[in-house]
Amino acid sequence: MLVNSKKMLLDARNNYQVIYHFNINNLEWAKIILEKCNSMHTPVILGASLGAIKYMGGFRVVTGLVKNLIEDLGISIPVCLHLDHGDSFESCKKAIDAGFTSVMIDASKLDFENNIKETKKVVDYAHKSNVTVEAELGHVGGIEDNVISNILVANYDECVRFINETGVDSFTPAIGTVHGIYKGEVNIQYDLIKKLRDNTNVPLVMHGGSGLSHDILRKAIKSGISKINVNSDIQYVWMEAVKKFILENPTVYDPRKIIYSGRDAMEKFIEDKINILHDNK
Ligand code: 13P
């Protein structure tokens, strides 16, 4: 069932649980993630970045792919199809018009007032179509930022103002994580998470969920994170498995066999991530 992220994230927030956002890159990624989460009865958010959407052929290709997989595979868990890091009102509008059920407007490169303005514009448009909106404040860097510094971290008072004035459904405060594989020490701002969890009512999102230990993830969830985005880690475990398969099977040329040889590793990774939810109470 394709749904927006409202209920699943509020349920997670209210129970100090988390919904995973796993990024999809292609048919196989979407299929493997859907089947695995379905077998574990765990709702999931499929995140598609603008780059991945372009790679797959366009917004409508992605909605068609996900909708039809849900139907043809008999997926019965709630599934949300989410635009990851929409860079403008226009890109969010394209996703909404194509049938995405959730969008992220990442106007974090704009100054504070313009970030509010752009985000509010997306919220007003999205809510008319029952689409949920996530937005970011502060800056969740990439691996180029590498060194985790306080400059990246969102300011509490601005976060509260941002949430109230934009009407977003979920919120990404920069809390010290970065996208990609970590090289430096991660310094997560648990106090900021707790304060926002206790004083606002929107589900909080952690970007850059790769490369973090299960203890860190558990602590973040206990502090009040309700959505964790994971991309690089799945790509990495897939790559390692496929590399091994190719080395061990140098004569295989069927792309289905090659691409799918990463399936077990991906499934194991997803299973481990979901299992941490059960001992997080
Ligand atoms: P990672 O690639 O670090 O897991 O980050 C994913 C992400 O935050 C997508 O929005």
Side-chain angles (χ1 to χ4, degrees), residues 98-130:
F100 277 60
T101 53
S102 180
V103 293
M104 174 191 191
I105 169 68
D106 179 358
S108 63
K109 60 189 177 302
L110 301 180
D111 62 44
F112 182 63
E113 300 299 337
N114 283 315
N115 188 349
I116 289 186
K117 245 191 230 164
E118 185 82 348
T119 302
K120 177 91 178 63
K121 195 172 159 193
V122 174
V123 169
D124 289 345
Y125 187 78
H127 282 180
K128 285 187 197 132
S129 305
N130 198 27

Side-chain angles (χ1 to χ4, degrees), residues 250-268:
T251 57
V252 174
Y253 57 89
D254 181 340
R256 292 169 300 182
K257 290 194 175 124
I258 295 172
I259 295 172
Y260 235 49
S261 66
R263 178 190 176 140
D264 288 352
M266 288 173 70
E267 285 197 338
K268 166 94 177 57

Side-chain angles (χ1 to χ4, degrees), residues 81-102:
L81 176 58
H82 175 75
L83 171 65
D84 192 21
H85 292 282
D87 61 356
S88 61
F89 171 78
E90 286 69 31
S91 59
C92 291
K93 183 175 180 301
K94 276 187 195 156
I96 295 163
D97 293 349
F100 277 60
T101 53
S102 180

Side-chain angles (χ1 to χ4, degrees), residues 1-3 8 31 33-44 66-80:
M1 190 185 17
L2 198 57
V3 296
M8 61 170 87
K31 182 166 179 269
I33 295 168
L34 283 175
E35 285 182 326
K36 187 65 199 173
C37 292
N38 196 52
S39 76
M40 296 183 78
H41 310 290
T42 304
V44 69
V66 171
K67 275 184 187 162
N68 291 320
L69 280 175
I70 290 173
E71 204 175 310
D72 287 358
L73 297 173
I75 301 293
S76 56
I77 49 163
V79 177
C80 171

Side-chain angles (χ1 to χ4, degrees), residues 19-203:
I19 300 290
Y20 281 109
H21 153 140
F22 293 123
N23 281 79
I24 55 171
N25 296 288
N26 52 23
L27 162 72
E28 291 80 5
W29 245 248
K31 182 166 179 269
I32 291 166
I33 295 168
L34 283 175
E35 285 182 326
K36 187 65 199 173
C37 292
N38 196 52
S39 76
M40 296 183 78
H41 310 290
T42 304
V44 69
I45 295 173
L46 300 181
S49 67
L50 290 170
I53 291 166
K54 192 170 169 200
Y55 173 81
M56 287 187 265
F59 290 91
R60 282 176 302 167
V61 176
V62 178
T63 47
L65 174 74
V66 171
K67 275 184 187 162
N68 291 320
L69 280 175
I70 290 173
E71 204 175 310
D72 287 358
L73 297 173
I75 301 293
S76 56
I77 49 163
V79 177
C80 171
L81 176 58
H82 175 75
L83 171 65
D84 192 21
H85 292 282
D87 61 356
S88 61
F89 171 78
E90 286 69 31
S91 59
C92 291
K93 183 175 180 301
K94 276 187 195 156
I96 295 163
D97 293 349
F100 277 60
T101 53
S102 180
V103 293
M104 174 191 191
I105 169 68
D106 179 358
S108 63
K109 60 189 177 302
L110 301 180
D111 62 44
F112 182 63
E113 300 299 337
N114 283 315
N115 188 349
I116 289 186
K117 245 191 230 164
E118 185 82 348
T119 302
K120 177 91 178 63
K121 195 172 159 193
V122 174
V123 169
D124 289 345
Y125 187 78
H127 282 180
K128 285 187 197 132
S129 305
N130 198 27
V131 169
T132 40
V133 180
E134 174 188 328
E136 174 174 325
L137 194 63
H139 174 61
V140 180
I143 38 174
E144 75 280 5
D145 291 302
N146 205 2
V147 178
I148 320 294
S149 88
N150 282 336
I151 300 165
L152 303 175
V153 170
N155 168 284
Y156 171 76
D157 291 328
E158 285 190 348
C159 288
V160 174
R161 226 192 103 195
F162 186 88
I163 291 166
N164 290 337
E165 290 188 19
T166 57
V168 280
D169 302 286
S170 60
F171 177 62
T172 303
I175 48 171
T177 54
V178 295
H179 295 114
I181 306 295
Y182 287 91
K183 290 184 192 144
E185 268 294 297
V186 62
N187 177 21
I188 294 181
Q189 308 296 305
Y190 297 105
D191 289 344
L192 177 63
I193 301 171
K194 280 193 190 121
K195 207 167 159 192
L196 285 169
R197 164 67 179 76
D198 291 344
N199 295 290
T200 68
N201 52 18
V202 294

Side-chain angles (χ1 to χ4, degrees), residues 21 23 84-85 178-180 206-210 229-233:
H21 153 140
N23 281 79
D84 192 21
H85 292 282
V178 295
H179 295 114
M206 176 196 259
H207 279 244
S210 292
N229 289 16
V230 182
N231 184 22
S232 307
D233 267 352

